[in-house]
Amino acid sequence: QKEVEQNSGPLSVPEGAIASLNCTYSDRGSQSFFWYRQYSGKSPELIMSIYSNGDKEDGRFTAQLNKASQYVSLLIRDSQPSDSATYLCAVNTPYTGGFKTIFGAGTRLFVKA
Amino acid sequence: KAGVTQTPRYLIKTRGQQVTLSCSPISGHRSVSWYQQTPGQGLQFLFEYFSETQRNKGNFPGRFSGRQFSNSRSEMNVSTLELGDSALYLCASSLAGTGHGNTIYFGEGSWLTVV
C-alpha cells in the first residue's frame, strides 16, 4: 500500500463546475496535509494546508480533512480553465527523526471551457 | 522575499558524465530537500539536508549524492549519468524540516536531459 494515494485521473469537469480531488494516507500518525498545484512544465506551488478535522476555505478552494477515515480532499468551486493542472496531495508522516513530507502521485484535472 | 533558487535551469549532458545542481533556499530556511520528477514515476524523494547533515534519504543509487553548506545552500551531484536520469530535479526548502506543521516550498527546478 502506498503511503499517500490519489486517483491519477484525468478528472475532467466543465467550466463553472465543482472539481473534487481526493487523497488517502496510510499512517494514522500523520499530522499535516497539503495541496500543491503543478502546471505542465512548472514546479509545484502550495495551494493550501490543513491540520485539523473539518473544512478550511480559501477563496474558491476548500480543503477537507477526516483523520478517522484517513482522507483529505480538495474542492475547487467555479472551476476555470486556468485550474487545469496536476494536483499533488502531501502528508507530513512520522518517522524516527520526526516528520517527513510524502507526496501522492497527483491527479490531473482538466477544466473544459 | 526571494523564493527557492535553482541553477542551472536547463542542461544537457552525455551518458557517463556527471552533473552538479545548485539550490539556494528561502532566507531563514535551514532544511533543503531534493526530488526527482519524471512522467512515469511522479515526484520521488532523493534526500533532505538540515544544518549540513543528511537527515533523510530516498531509494536512489549511490550515484546520487548531495551536500549542504553552512549558509544552507545545497548541491546535488549525479555521477555516471544514465539516460534514465533525464528528469526535472526539484529543490524544496522549509524552516526546520521535522515539525509536523513543516511546509515545503519548491524552486523552479532544473531540467536535465541525458543523451
Side-chain angles (χ1 to χ4, degrees):
Chain A
Q1 180 188 9
K2 291 183 179 179
E3 292 178 278
V4 179
E5 294 206 53
Q6 296 181 253
N7 187 323
S8 63
L11 172 66
S12 184
V13 300
E15 184 175 0
I18 296 175
S20 178
L21 305 164
N22 304 316
C23 172
T24 58
Y25 58 95
S26 60
D27 194 319
R28 285 193 172 276
S30 299
Q31 295 286 336
S32 306
F33 308 86
F34 308 87
W35 284 99
Y36 290 80
R37 176 177 62 199
Q38 186 174 24
Y39 292 114
S40 180
K42 302 293 185 182
S43 64
E45 57 177 325
L46 180 69
I47 299 176
M48 291 190 69
S49 58
I50 185 167
Y51 309 111
S52 304
N53 280 328
D55 295 359
K56 179 181 179 183
E57 187 174 316
D58 183 0
R60 295 187 296 112
F61 298 96
T62 298
Q64 299 175 317
L65 175 62
N66 184 325
K67 289 186 178 181
S69 300
Q70 295 173 242
Y71 175 92
V72 58
S73 65
L74 180 70
L75 301 178
I76 306 174
R77 291 183 300 281
D78 187 24
S79 294
Q80 301 297 309
S82 59
D83 295 325
S84 297
T86 297
Y87 290 81
L88 300 168
C89 171
V91 177
N92 279 4
T93 300
Y95 76 114
T96 53
F99 286 83
K100 59 182 179 180
T101 304
I102 305 295
F103 284 86
T107 298
R108 292 179 66 191
L109 172 66
F110 290 107
V111 180
K112 299 174 293 184
Chain B
K1 58 182 176 181
V4 181
T5 304
Q6 291 188 245
T7 57
R9 292 292 320 283
Y10 305 92
L11 64 166
I12 299 174
K13 290 287 187 177
T14 304
R15 273 181 302 174
Q17 287 186 316
Q18 66 95 26
V19 66
T20 299
L21 308 177
S22 180
C23 172
S24 293
I26 293 171
S27 178
H29 284 195
R30 297 171 62 192
S31 170
V32 173
S33 300
W34 289 89
Y35 295 82
Q36 181 196 65
Q37 189 174 40
T38 58
Q41 296 296 319
L43 204 61
Q44 301 290 313
F45 173 74
L46 281 156
F47 27 65
E48 184 216 351
Y49 287 87
F50 178 79
S51 291
E52 303 178 65
T53 300
Q54 187 182 86
R55 191 161 58 181
N56 210 351
K57 189 176 187 303
N59 296 322
F60 277 81
R63 300 186 296 109
F64 292 81
S65 63
R67 58 178 176 168
Q68 187 180 33
F69 302 95
S70 58
N71 61 358
S72 294
R73 190 178 69 85
S74 176
E75 289 180 348
M76 69 161 283
N77 183 277
V78 188
S79 62
T80 319
L81 284 166
E82 301 175 358
L83 295 179
D85 297 332
S86 296
L88 175 64
Y89 289 87
L90 291 162
C91 171
S93 80
S94 63
L95 273 172
T98 59
H100 74 81
N102 187 60
T103 304
I104 69 172
Y105 300 89
F106 286 94
E108 292 186 311
S110 293
W111 286 95
L112 171 64
T113 301
V114 182
V115 297

